[in-house]
């Protein structure tokens, strides 16, 4: 590093040198007053933060910490409010793939999860994905997916392609 660069970096904040012009670790300057020392508690009555150390006198807060959400024995708010809804154990999250993504990647012919992973449209082969109808498709493509929207199905068939569900293919192979 050049001495000019070091001097320019040191000009912004407090001086950060050790023995001459050699930089002390990080070359990026630290502005004056940006770092503060932590509050040192319990260091005698002359320090203003001695004896009780900013915790007041006696009581639960002075002696130990109180767990989050504790309201002093009162029924806490998370138990006073009613529970709403439920989470279905059969719910499946589908990764959405639009027709514009397929068109943009230039995929043609037979398209399945493996090809989509190779073209980086999909993360993993095992993930469930649904083809949605946003965008247009100009080439005839034959797509195997876990789901299709009505508009996507219509656009693919209009372009001369076909669709198949992965679950139907798996049941035929078994």
């Amino acid at each position: 590093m050049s001495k000019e660069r070091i001097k320019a970096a040191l000009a912004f904040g407090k001086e950060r040198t050790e023995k001459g012009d050699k930089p002390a670790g990080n070359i990026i300057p630290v502005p004056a007053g940006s770092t503060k020392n932590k509050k040192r508690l319990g260091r005698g009555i002359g320090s203003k933060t001695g004896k009780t150390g900013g915790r007041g006198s006696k009581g639960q807060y002075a002696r130990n910490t109180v767990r989050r959400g504790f309201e002093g024995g009162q029924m806490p708010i998370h138990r006073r409010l009613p529970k709403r809804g439920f989470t279905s154990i059969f719910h499946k999250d589908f990764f959405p793939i639009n027709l514009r993504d397929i068109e943009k990647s230039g995929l043609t012919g037979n398209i399945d999860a493996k090809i989509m992973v190779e073209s980086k449209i999909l993360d993993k082969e095992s993930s469930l994905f649904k083809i949605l109808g946003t965008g247009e498709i100009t080439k005839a493509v034959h797509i195997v997916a876990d789901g299709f929207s009505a508009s996507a199905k219509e656009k693919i068939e209009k372009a001369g392609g076909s669709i198949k569900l992965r679950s139907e293919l798996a049941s035929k192979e078994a």
Side-chain angles (χ1 to χ4, degrees):
M1 278 188 227
S2 66
K3 287 189 177 186
E4 296 86 33
R5 173 125 193 264
I6 293 167
K7 284 182 182 175
L10 294 172
F12 289 103
K14 61 183 180 181
E15 299 233 336
R16 301 182 70 195
T17 57
E18 288 177 345
K19 298 177 187 170
D21 290 327
K22 192 174 90 178
N26 194 353
I27 193 76
I28 298 168
V30 175
S34 65
T35 56
K36 292 172 93 178
N37 295 333
K38 67 174 192 161
K39 190 186 239 186
R40 297 179 73 230
L41 302 172
R43 296 295 184 278
I45 54 171
S47 69
K48 295 183 183 174
T49 53
K51 195 184 169 211
T52 52
R55 288 174 173 265
S57 61
K58 300 185 180 178
Q60 189 175 16
Y61 290 98
R63 293 187 170 103
N64 61 12
T65 56
V66 180
R67 69 169 156 57
R68 201 171 47 192
F70 183 67
E71 297 183 22
Q74 172 178 294
M75 187 63 71
I77 193 160
H78 71 274
R79 290 184 63 195
R80 289 197 303 266
L81 296 175
K83 295 181 180 76
R84 297 284 298 173
F86 78 106
T87 303
S88 173
I89 60 169
F90 303 108
H91 176 75
K92 292 178 181 154
D93 279 326
F94 288 92
F95 185 81
I97 296 174
N98 287 303
L99 288 176
R100 69 168 173 228
D101 301 331
I102 296 169
E103 184 72 25
K104 196 187 286 184
S105 64
L107 295 174
T108 55
N110 296 329
I111 301 171
D112 61 351
K114 191 174 186 179
I115 292 165
M116 287 195 185
V117 169
E118 288 169 6
S119 62
K120 295 192 167 103
I121 295 174
L122 198 62
D123 289 336
K124 314 184 270 200
E125 255 183 83
S126 60
S127 55
L128 298 173
F129 65 98
K130 184 174 182 174
I131 307 297
L132 303 178
T134 304
E136 293 297 323
I137 191 120
T138 55
K139 302 170 206 106
V141 289
H142 307 285
I143 302 175
V144 177
D146 297 300
F148 296 90
S149 69
S151 61
K153 183 179 178 181
E154 183 184 314
K155 289 177 182 179
I156 291 166
E157 288 172 348
K158 187 178 172 187
S162 65
I163 61 165
K164 286 184 184 162
L165 291 171
R166 250 203 301 200
S167 58
E168 290 175 4
L169 291 176
S171 63
K172 285 179 185 177
E173 290 174 5

